[in-house]
Amino acid sequence: MTIEPTPTAATNGTTTNDTTTNGTTINGTTTTLSPNILPLPPTLSAVCARIHKKVSDFLSTPPKSELVERVQKQTRISLDVVSRALATYSFDELAISYNGGKDCLVLLLLFLSALHTHTRQLTPSQKIHSVYVMSTYPFAEVDSFVNSCIEEYSLDLHRYALPMKSAFATYLRENPVVKAVFVGTRRTDPHGEFLSHFDKTDHGWPSFMRVQPVIDWHYQEVWSFLRELEVPYCSLYDMGYTSLGGRKDTHPNPMLLVKGSSAEGGKAWFRPAYELVEDEQERLGRDR
């Protein structure tokens, strides 16, 4: 049986519903940019304003289902957690752990939205302190998506091909001002069962406050949020991957496998990640 990925409109590791043009519209007139003149990346304040509008529009829309209603409730709770962190720590004392996965992406969007009310404190050159702990065998699609997020979301990204504990120890040694790190851990993740919104790191780890605004989100809620906001995400999710690790321990989720009929030549494919329902099935594509 041959297995093929779900057809996708992904480009450079990113799937999006957005359309783009190669021109700039000013006063109703579209001007094509010279290929030698690149537009300046948006400032962090501009990025925050754009994401805040998306999130605000989502929250102000009457829910079309019980799932969306739950997601709106989770969003408000998480925004409050982020706001508490912003009230406790200065912007420079905060960082985000970002690996391009779906949970980290939700976390990043929530952080940007809440940060919008604090943008008067930011300078035009400031970016979000962020740390990317890379897998031993990273997917090219993940790296490509993370790269696209650097400018899209104004990240000052530090990469480490190290074990998690060593990566954070190195990052904090190089960035001693950082006191708290936003982490996209959810309660169904390994070691996430007893965590809360704010937890100090365990004994033996480098000392910092873990801020976990999405700890109580469920799998379906994560995908509902991303699809309601219509933001780009890593293209592997459209190929049946539901939890991303490295190339040697991560596979499409078998629960999303669709066996092809004889009329289709017996080919099989995987449905996209957002069609999975149960939290307990999320990591069935992971060897560990």
Side-chain angles (χ1 to χ4, degrees):
M1 178 178 66
T2 302
I3 297 177
E4 295 184 347
T6 305
T8 175
T11 303
N12 294 331
T14 303
T15 297
T16 177
N17 295 328
D18 295 342
T19 57
T20 60
T21 65
N22 61 353
T24 300
T25 300
I26 302 175
N27 294 332
T29 301
T30 300
T31 302
T32 302
L33 297 175
S34 166
N36 296 322
I37 302 177
L38 297 177
L40 293 174
T43 64
L44 177 55
S45 294
V47 172
C48 290
R50 174 170 60 85
I51 300 303
H52 180 74
K53 184 179 186 309
K54 278 182 172 286
V55 173
S56 296
D57 288 348
F58 167 62
L59 291 176
S60 64
T61 302
K64 56 191 175 186
S65 66
E66 290 184 5
L67 172 60
V68 173
E69 186 174 12
R70 293 201 311 270
V71 177
Q72 289 176 330
K73 180 179 179 179
Q74 292 279 38
T75 300
R76 293 186 176 96
I77 293 171
S78 297
L79 287 172
D80 180 66
V81 174
V82 177
S83 295
R84 285 159 55 195
L86 287 167
T88 304
Y89 302 95
S90 69
F91 174 76
D92 281 332
E93 291 175 329
L94 290 166
I96 183 171
S97 177
Y98 187 72
N99 62 7
K102 62 188 184 306
D103 304 327
C104 290
L105 180 56
V106 170
L107 173 63
L108 176 58
L109 295 170
L110 293 168
F111 182 26
L112 288 164
S113 180
L115 187 59
H116 176 63
T117 59
H118 297 255
T119 52
R120 290 183 181 179
Q121 305 172 16
L122 304 178
T123 66
S125 62
Q126 281 185 299
K127 298 181 182 298
I128 290 178
H129 301 312
S130 46
V131 53
Y132 174 24
V133 182
M134 302 175 65
S135 166
T136 306
Y137 301 97
F139 283 95
E141 292 88 345
V142 173
D143 278 351
S144 179
F145 178 67
V146 171
N147 287 338
S148 73
C149 292
I150 293 174
E151 183 172 306
E152 179 79 8
Y153 300 119
S154 199
L155 302 179
D156 175 22
L157 189 72
H158 294 245
R159 302 169 190 259
Y160 299 96
L162 296 169
M164 186 76 69
K165 187 186 296 186
S166 299
F168 277 106
T170 304
Y171 177 72
L172 293 172
R173 186 168 59 249
E174 296 172 350
N175 301 271
V177 70
V178 172
K179 305 300 181 187
V181 180
F182 287 103
V183 182
T185 302
R186 292 179 18 247
R187 202 164 299 287
T188 53
D189 291 332
H191 313 296
E193 183 179 0
F194 300 109
L195 297 178
S196 62
H197 288 134
F198 293 86
D199 289 297
K200 289 287 290 185
T201 48
D202 299 330
H203 176 72
W205 276 71
S207 179
F208 62 90
M209 179 65 74
R210 292 176 297 185
V211 186
Q212 293 144 167
V214 298
I215 187 67
D216 289 318
W217 286 53
H218 292 281
Y219 181 86
Q220 269 195 310
E221 295 166 350
V222 168
W223 276 112
S224 176
F225 181 80
L226 294 177
R227 286 168 59 76
E228 288 292 331
L229 264 63
E230 298 184 321
V231 294
Y233 54 81
C234 180
S235 61
L236 289 176
Y237 289 121
D238 277 344
M239 302 178 191
Y241 293 84
T242 55
S243 177
L244 301 182
R247 287 183 288 106
K248 293 197 173 184
D249 62 11
T250 307
H251 317 280
N253 194 312
M255 299 303 297
L256 295 174
L257 176 64
V258 178
K259 297 179 180 179
S261 65
S262 56
E264 298 171 319
K267 293 182 179 180
W269 51 280
F270 289 90
R271 292 180 289 127
Y274 54 78
E275 292 191 11
L276 192 72
V277 175
E278 300 297 332
D279 286 350
E280 294 76 13
Q281 298 175 347
E282 177 181 356
R283 296 180 63 86
L284 291 181
R286 299 286 292 273
D287 292 342
R288 56 183 176 84

